[in-house]
Amino acid sequence: MAIQFQHHPGLVVYLSAGDTGLTPRESHAGHAGGAVDLSLTREIALAAIDAGADVIEIGVPYSDPLGDGPVIQRASERALLRGTRLVDVLALAAELRAARPQAGLVIFSYLNPILRFGLPAFVDAAAAAGVDGVLLIDMIVEEAGEYLAEMKRVNLAPIFLAAPTSPEERLKAIVEHSQGFVYAISRTGITGQQKDVETGAAALVERLRRWTHWRGLPIAVGFGISNAEHVAQVGKFADAAVIGSAIVELIERSTEEQAPEAVSRFIRGLFTQGLHRQHEVQALEQREPASL
Amino acid sequence: MATMLSPDTQTQSKAGRFGAYGGRYVPETLMAALEELEHAYAEAKADAAFQAELDLLLKDFAGRPTPLYFAKRLTESLGGAKIYLKREDLLHTGAHKINNALGQGLLAKRMGKRRIIAETGAGQHGVATATVCALLGLECIVYMGEEDMRRQELNVLRMRLLGAEVRGVASGSKTLKDAVNEALRDWVTNVRNTYYILGSALGPHPYPTMVRDFNRIIGVEMRQQILGKEGRLPTAILACVGGGSNAIGAFHEFLSDLPGNDKVRLIGVEAGGRGKTLGDHAARFEGGVPGVLQGTYSYVLQDENGQVSLTHSVSAGLDYATVGPEHAALHDCGRAEYVSADDAHVMEAVVKLARTEGILPALESAHAVAECIRIAPNMPSHDILVINLSGRGDKDMGIIARELNIQGAQGH
Ligand SMILES: Cc1ncc(COP(=O)(O)O)c(C=O)c1O
C-alpha cells in the first residue's frame, strides 16, 4: 500500500470528514459526545475511489481553519457541530483501508488536534489504521524535526506544501522531506474555487521539478481546481490535481441520499472530459509512472 | 514542535523560541514574507536613523515619555503598599498600542509595502494602526469580530473617520481570535504587497519579539522613573495580559541583569470572565494547555480534542484563547506570576480608580487595578506596586454605564 497515481493526471479528492451538508438526515443532525457516525463521509469516499480518485485526503475538522476559504470553513463548522473528533476520523480511515486496499489515504489536518492527541499516539494510530501519509497545513519544514522522526518511525509519508512564494532553498527542503507526493499550491491564497488555473502554478511546478526529478516524486497541484478544464490544464505540467472545495460544496448542496452519487458523477465527468486512464496514455507519454 | 531549549527567555533561538514556546506554524505561503520581515526588522533595528525617526514620533506625536504617577488617594484608601500608575492611557489614541503601531508602520513604509492590514479586539490596536496609516499615507484595512464591533462601536467610528476600512468578521465567536484568522487569510492571499501589523506579542516569529521590542520603552521609562522618585525598584509590577504586549513591554527591562531586577515581582493579570468553566473566561494559565494557535506554540484554551474553545471577558482586548509565547516561558520558569480577575471585580476597580484618582481605566487595564486592590491592603506601606495602566476607558463607557446602571440624558 502506497500512494500511486493510476491516471494522468492523478486525482486527489479532499473531503471534510463528518460534514453531512446542509440537509442532514434526522439521525445525522447535531449530536455530540461518543463516537460520531461518519458513514456518509465513508460512502462518499468509496464512491470517489470507485469513480477513479487515486488518493483521498481526509480532512480533520478544526475550529480555526485559517488556511481555508468559506466553503471548507462552513464544512468544518458543521462537522464540529456534529461532534467529529480525530479518533472518529482515524476509525473512518481504517474502514476505508479495509474496504479499498489499493487507495491512497492521507490525513489532512491543522496541527493542534494532532498535538492534543499526542504526536506519537497519532502516528501509531494512523499507521495502524492503514493511512499512507499526513499533510499538516500549518507545519513548515523548519519546525518539523520531531514530527518527521515520528512519521519515519512508523513509515508514514509526510507531505509538505510548496507555495508560489517559496524561494528555491525552501522548495529544496520541502521536496527533500516529502514522500508520496509534494503538494504545489496553485496560487497565493486560501482554499476555494477560482475561474482559471493561474500561470504561476506551472512556474512553481517547473521550479519543483528541479528537486523532484531524480526521485520521481510526483507533484500534485491544488487550491482552486474545480472542473474538468482545470484538471486537464494541470495535466499538462503536473502529475496530479487536487480537488477540494468544489466537491465539498457539491456535498453541501446535495441531500445525504444524493451526495455519494453526485460526487461519483462529478468525478466520472472529469474523466470523460479530460482525464485519461494511465494505461491509455502510457504509450504516448515518456514520463515515468508516478509512484512513491 | 517543542524543540526543547533552555527555559531562559534571554537566550532566544534563531527560530524565535522562548524556552519551548513560540516558533512558526503557518501555511507555507507566508514563510517568505515572515523571513523578509525578520530581515527587514533586523536591519531597521540596527539603523540609527530608523530609531531616531521612531523616537521623535513617540515623543512629539504619541506623547512619550508617559508619566509615572503616584496614586496617593488610592494608596490611602487601600491602606497598604504605595501605588504608582504608569500612564500609558495618556498616549495619543488612548493606549500603549500606538507604540507598536508606529514602529511597524515605519517598518512597512521602509519595506515599500503600501497596503496595511490589522486585526483588532477592543479596537485600540485598530485605531492606533488607522492613525499611523493616516500619518504615513498608507492604505488600511482592519478586521474586527462583529461582537467586538458592537461592544466597541466608538472605536469602529474612529477608525472609519481616520480613513480605514473596517471589515466585520462573522465566523466563530466573532471576537479577536476570528479577526486574527481573517487577517491571516487576507495576508496569505495578498502577501506580495501587504504588510500585516499584528497588534500583540503573538503569532509567528518575528512578531512576538518585534512587538515586545516596540513596547519595551514602557519598562525602560518605568525603571528610571521609579528610581528617580523612590531611589529603589518596585516590589511588584502589575499588568493585564491579553496577547501580552503591554505586560511584556512593562516586564522586559526587569528581566535583564540590571541590579535589583531579580527581586521585582512581575504579575500578569488575565481575564477571569464570569466563571471557571471553559468558555466563561480567558485565563490561559488556569485552563489552557500548550498547543498551537495562529502561528505560535503557547498555552491555548481548548477542549480535549484540540478544538479551540470560546472565551468570555467583559473586555474585548483580553478575550482571546491563547497568549504570547514569551509569557508562557516566563510562566513555566516561574519568573512571572499569572493570576486572573473576574468581570465583577474589574467593574469595582473601574469605579474605585475613577473615584479615588479621577482616572477612568480601560476595562483591560482595570484587570491589573483589580489585582492591585486585592493585594495592596495586605502589603506593608514601604512596599511599592506599579500598575501598567495600558489604556483609558472612554471606549468602554457604553458597557460601563450599562453594567453600573449609570443614566445618561434620559435619566434623572
Ligand atoms: C488598553 C488595552 N490594554 C491591554 C490590551 C490587551 O493587549 P495586550 O495584552 O497585548 O497588551 C488591549 C487590547 O486591545 C487594550 O486595548
Side-chain angles (χ1 to χ4, degrees), chain B residues 99-113:
Chain B
N99 300 324
N100 170 54
L102 276 172
Q104 288 200 56
L106 287 181
L107 185 59
K109 209 176 120 190
R110 183 186 167 100
M111 291 170 74
K113 309 253 178 184

Side-chain angles (χ1 to χ4, degrees), chain B residues 95-97 122 124 200 240-246 317-318 362 364-365 390-391:
Chain B
H96 71 289
K97 299 283 182 187
Q124 287 302 118
S200 191
C240 67
V241 185
S245 67
N246 89 86
L318 307 188
E364 290 77 18
S365 323
S390 57

Side-chain angles (χ1 to χ4, degrees), chain B residues 360-393:
Chain B
L360 171 57
L363 287 172
E364 290 77 18
S365 323
H367 284 70
V369 179
E371 177 62 10
C372 171
I373 292 171
R374 198 181 69 82
I375 64 174
N378 302 318
M379 297 172 78
S381 59
H382 57 81
D383 276 3
I384 301 169
L385 290 175
V386 178
I387 300 173
N388 190 36
L389 205 70
S390 57
R392 71 176 86 120

Side-chain angles (χ1 to χ4, degrees), chain B residues 215-293:
Chain B
N215 278 296
R216 273 195 87 244
I217 184 78
I218 302 172
V220 171
E221 287 175 6
M222 191 193 281
R223 196 173 190 283
Q224 285 169 1
Q225 288 166 323
I226 197 73
L227 285 174
K229 286 176 196 290
E230 293 279 348
R232 61 200 168 104
L233 294 177
T235 314
I237 298 167
L238 295 151
C240 67
V241 185
S245 67
N246 89 86
I248 202 67
F251 294 172
H252 200 257
E253 175 77 347
F254 295 86
L255 297 173
S256 71
D257 56 7
L258 291 169
N261 268 356
D262 56 329
K263 301 282 188 307
V264 179
R265 285 173 64 193
L266 305 173
I267 305 174
V269 188
E270 299 186 283
R274 61 190 164 213
K276 298 280 179 202
T277 314
L278 196 63
D280 282 348
H281 63 83
R284 289 67 47 103
F285 292 119
E286 288 174 30
V289 293
V292 164
L293 178 61

Side-chain angles (χ1 to χ4, degrees), chain A residues 14-213:
Chain A
Y14 169 94
L15 298 173
S16 289
D19 175 30
T20 48
L22 290 175
T23 47
R25 271 179 232 145
E26 201 102 302
S27 62
H28 279 174
H31 116 107
V36 170
D37 180 2
L38 297 190
S39 58
L40 181 67
T41 310
R42 186 187 64 226
E43 287 168 42
I44 294 170
L46 294 178
I49 294 164
D50 295 343
D54 300 293
V55 176
I56 301 291
E57 282 181 359
I58 314 172
V60 178
Y62 181 50
S63 54
D64 293 84
L66 55 83
D68 285 299
V71 170
I72 293 177
Q73 285 179 48
R74 291 198 300 268
S76 300
E77 236 168 81
R78 288 191 297 263
L80 287 175
L81 267 177
R82 294 187 60 240
T84 311
R85 305 160 303 172
L86 181 55
V87 278
D88 304 311
V89 176
L90 290 166
L92 167 69
E95 288 176 23
L96 292 176
R97 171 53 69 226
R100 298 293 182 275
Q102 83 293 354
L105 295 180
V106 170
I107 299 280
F108 187 106
S109 184
Y110 288 83
L111 182 53
N112 200 56
I114 309 280
L115 286 182
R116 189 64 199 256
F117 196 90
L119 189 57
F122 166 73
V123 298
D124 284 338
V131 164
D132 299 302
V134 177
L135 202 164
L136 300 177
I137 191 165
D138 49 358
M139 174 61 93
I140 54 161
V141 284
E142 286 87 341
E143 303 286 3
E146 204 179 320
Y147 165 65
L148 286 170
E150 284 297 318
M151 293 285 283
K152 189 168 176 192
R153 179 172 65 75
V154 297
N155 206 16
L156 280 175
I159 298 158
F160 286 95
L161 296 133
T165 49
S166 307
E168 238 31 59
E169 64 279 10
R170 296 196 59 79
L171 293 186
K172 178 166 182 264
I174 285 163
V175 169
E176 209 169 278
H177 294 299
S178 291
Q179 289 172 41
F181 61 93
V182 62
Y183 191 132
I185 303 173
S186 72
R187 49 142 197 253
T188 61
I190 52 180
T191 61
Q193 304 189 36
Q194 62 189 0
K195 260 177 74 194
D196 303 301
V197 179
E198 281 186 23
T199 50
L204 172 60
V205 170
E206 199 181 311
R207 291 199 297 138
L208 278 167
R209 287 274 185 228
R210 235 185 104 190
W211 310 109
T212 58
H213 194 71

